[in-house]
Amino acid sequence: MAEVYDQLMADAPYSEWVSLTQKIINQYHPDIQSILDLGCGTGEITCRLSEAGFQLTGVDLSEEMLSLAAQKSPGTKINWLHQDIRELKGLENFDCIVSFCDVLNYITTEEDLQRVFKNAYHSLTDSGLFIFDVHSLHHIQDHLLGETFAEVYDDISYIWLCDPGDMNDTVVHDLTFFLQSEDVYERFDEQHVQRGYSVSEIERQITSAGFQLLNICSDFKLDGSRDGDRLFFICQK
């Protein structure tokens, strides 16, 4: 999917993620210099935060995604690392950790989610910030489950089916792509599984990992609302 990811995400609100991150940093910890991006993908947010003057390290499980990210950042000091965020190694003393674009919805067990939170805690400096987002439960239940999405472009088309998973509050994304290669279209398929968590469960997990929860907001608005499709959690070590 790395090959077509940026094309499919061309309209993603990357600037809003960066703007919100800067607002949170200015409000809660204006001295932040170094940022660790967990689940950085092809590096769109990572590169923008680097351009804003921060020292960036991007971590992702996909070597293909990281390769594309590195191609976007020649001459920069961004450090790209191939690691599983459930098993972080050698990463410490970061002023801030971010994990955006519903990366943590891909962590589908409570045990693994706690491991991610503890890894983040141990990778931060004292008073460091951990900022992440997730799809809200109502978004998964009301806007994804049972839905079908499709797009047709000149060189790529896709069909995206969203079905309930075996566990409660999980959604299975079955994606079929048709990618133009010269004068024919090649098909490839991927399956992704995500899980939604209640706010209370995330709060419990955050506290158990040692964090103080500073604020929850939604849909890129730093106003304390919890009614949106995308929830943001702001935590401090």
Side-chain angles (χ1 to χ4, degrees), residues 4-17:
V4 298
Y5 184 82
D6 282 340
Q7 184 175 351
L8 297 177
M9 293 288 287
D11 295 328
Y14 293 121
S15 60
E16 293 190 59
W17 269 297

Side-chain angles (χ1 to χ4, degrees), residues 12 15 33 74 84 106 123 162:
S15 60
Q33 296 182 11
D84 187 330
Y106 284 93
S123 296
C162 302

